[in-house]
Amino acid sequence: MRILVTGGTGYIGSHTCVQLLERGDEVVILDNLSNSKKEIVDHIETITGIRPVFYEADILDEDALERIFSAHAIDAVIHFAGLKAVGESVHQPLRYYHNNITGTLTLLAVMDRHDCRKIVFSSSATVYGTPASVPINEDFPTGGTTNPYGTTKLYLERILTDLHTADPRWSIVLLRYFNPVGAHDSKLIGDNPNGIPNNLMPYVTRVAKGILPCLSVFGDDYPTHDGTGVRDYIHVLDLAAGHVAVLPCLDQPGVKVYNLGTGIGYSVLDMIHAFEKANGIKLNYKIAPRREGDIAEVWSDPSKAERELGWKATRTLEDMCRSAWEFETNQN
């Protein structure tokens, strides 16, 4: 397949591009580099021996999308591109709604004009809002999102579902992610955002390396086993493998939904202690007030993906922590 990967130099996108190239797909990457670096394309080539086609462009730029689709006979799109910081979205809602929703609408319109109606959408467990219970399966109700980032994912899921209802030729897969961590075994690609990280693990590794002075743990009064937020952390290589596993679903029109997680919940303090143990490092951290938009706990029931796709997360928490640190120490 010839696959357009939007946000393909980002964290999850770059690992997915590697696995697509390794299985023989042709990859075209679109990324505006707002949260990644162009050198990632070089790293993908080093790992795979194949250089993907790369466009520095934005999903809001309809002319750029037209040029890409006119130049390449794109078979399918894996759509990662979007703003994704929960806390930032609370303070910049218009920016998030415009970028994530308008950008995706622009992408879908161009796809439709070029008779490309196969898309894997990077969604999120945030669409479940504050769940009544855990673990969460795909039949749980969505809605009641607690931040604009999550709401953009919720609205886009509904838009994509409505699109298929209106035009049954579309093949759509909605992948609801939990919390990716870790890095590629090559140590060349990993979670390396521009600026101050919004995700836990890259912040942890930068504190461990001395780049940042202290890790803030946002809230220790949640109704969890140690008072800190509980999440389902999944190795990014397992998550990338999930995208490869769903590609056969695009052969048939319809809308399919899958959770991609491990089915295990770990707290922020669990993650800190696991990182310390795996790497023999003591982390400097402090308890800070709760962060707007966060909820107490969420983890997945991933059994549907295993049952229907034969996909299952296999890497351990220790694997996640060790690979994240090995990647960080390999950076300049």
Side-chain angles (χ1 to χ4, degrees):
M1 295 179 73
R2 184 175 291 114
I3 301 174
L4 173 64
V5 182
T6 71
T9 58
Y11 177 38
I12 307 171
S14 60
H15 288 81
T16 301
C17 286
V18 165
Q19 295 196 20
L20 292 172
L21 290 166
E22 288 177 340
R23 86 165 202 146
D25 294 302
E26 296 181 48
V27 172
V28 178
I29 294 174
L30 175 151
D31 203 302
N32 66 4
L33 303 179
S34 64
N35 199 35
S36 61
K37 300 174 179 64
K38 192 173 181 179
E39 302 87 80
I40 297 299
V41 180
D42 299 329
H43 298 328
I44 291 172
E45 181 181 17
T46 299
I47 294 167
T48 65
I50 304 167
R51 188 170 186 84
V53 177
F54 173 72
Y55 290 88
E56 183 177 348
D58 196 294
I59 54 171
L60 287 161
D61 187 342
E62 189 166 358
D63 290 339
L65 289 170
E66 277 288 346
R67 289 194 295 272
I68 293 169
F69 277 86
S70 296
H72 307 277
I74 302 296
D75 297 308
V77 175
I78 300 180
H79 181 31
F80 294 104
L83 299 172
K84 64 182 183 64
V86 168
E88 183 180 68
S89 77
V90 174
H91 299 288
Q92 300 180 34
L94 294 183
R95 178 174 172 237
Y96 270 69
Y97 286 122
H98 177 60
N99 184 87
N100 293 6
I101 295 178
T102 307
T104 302
L105 291 174
T106 304
L107 171 65
L108 293 170
V110 175
M111 289 176 64
D112 193 51
R113 285 199 293 271
H114 288 266
D115 295 319
C116 176
R117 299 182 182 88
K118 298 180 178 182
I119 185 168
V120 177
F121 176 58
S122 168
S123 192
S124 167
T126 55
V127 300
Y128 294 112
T130 303
S133 62
V134 286
I136 299 168
N137 67 45
E138 291 85 351
D139 293 329
F140 273 41
T142 59
T145 47
T146 59
N147 55 77
Y149 159 72
T151 304
T152 67
K153 295 296 189 183
L154 177 68
Y155 288 172
L156 286 170
E157 284 199 5
R158 291 178 177 174
I159 287 167
L160 286 162
T161 302
D162 289 343
L163 175 60
H164 173 263
T165 300
D167 185 349
R169 292 176 296 174
W170 281 83
S171 299
I172 297 165
V173 180
L174 310 176
L175 295 182
R176 293 172 181 165
Y177 304 164
F178 286 73
N179 292 60
V181 294
H184 192 268
D185 297 337
S186 66
K187 308 176 190 176
L188 292 176
I189 55 174
D191 198 352
N192 189 27
N194 297 334
I196 303 298
N198 289 296
N199 294 338
L200 175 62
M201 189 55 75
Y203 209 107
V204 164
T205 58
R206 292 184 186 186
V207 169
K209 199 174 181 181
I211 297 171
L212 295 172
C214 183
L215 171 69
S216 292
V217 177
F218 296 107
D220 66 347
D221 58 350
Y222 286 106
T224 61
H225 67 272
D226 60 17
T228 63
V230 171
R231 299 292 183 269
D232 187 333
Y233 295 93
I234 178 174
H235 199 294
V236 68
L237 291 176
D238 285 329
L239 186 57
H243 293 77
V244 174
V246 301
L247 290 178
C249 296
L250 298 178
D251 292 338
Q252 297 296 325
V255 180
K256 290 186 175 290
V257 183
Y258 296 102
N259 287 338
L260 295 183
T262 65
I264 303 171
Y266 294 105
S267 74
V268 176
L269 289 181
D270 288 337
M271 291 296 292
I272 289 172
H273 299 324
F275 181 88
E276 291 176 330
K277 181 179 179 181
N279 299 300
I281 295 170
K282 191 69 176 174
L283 286 171
N284 183 31
Y285 69 90
K286 65 180 180 181
I287 304 300
R290 291 187 184 190
R291 186 171 54 182
E292 288 182 280
D294 279 346
I295 62 176
E297 57 183 2
V298 56
W299 69 86
S300 71
D301 173 357
S303 59
K304 180 182 177 184
E306 182 177 7
R307 184 173 64 251
E308 295 188 6
L309 306 174
W311 173 89
K312 184 179 181 180
T314 60
R315 293 167 178 84
T316 66
L317 186 59
E318 184 175 324
D319 294 332
M320 302 176 208
C321 293
R322 184 184 300 111
S323 66
W325 180 234
E326 288 175 346
F327 169 74
E328 182 63 57
T329 54
N330 195 46
Q331 306 308 298
N332 295 329

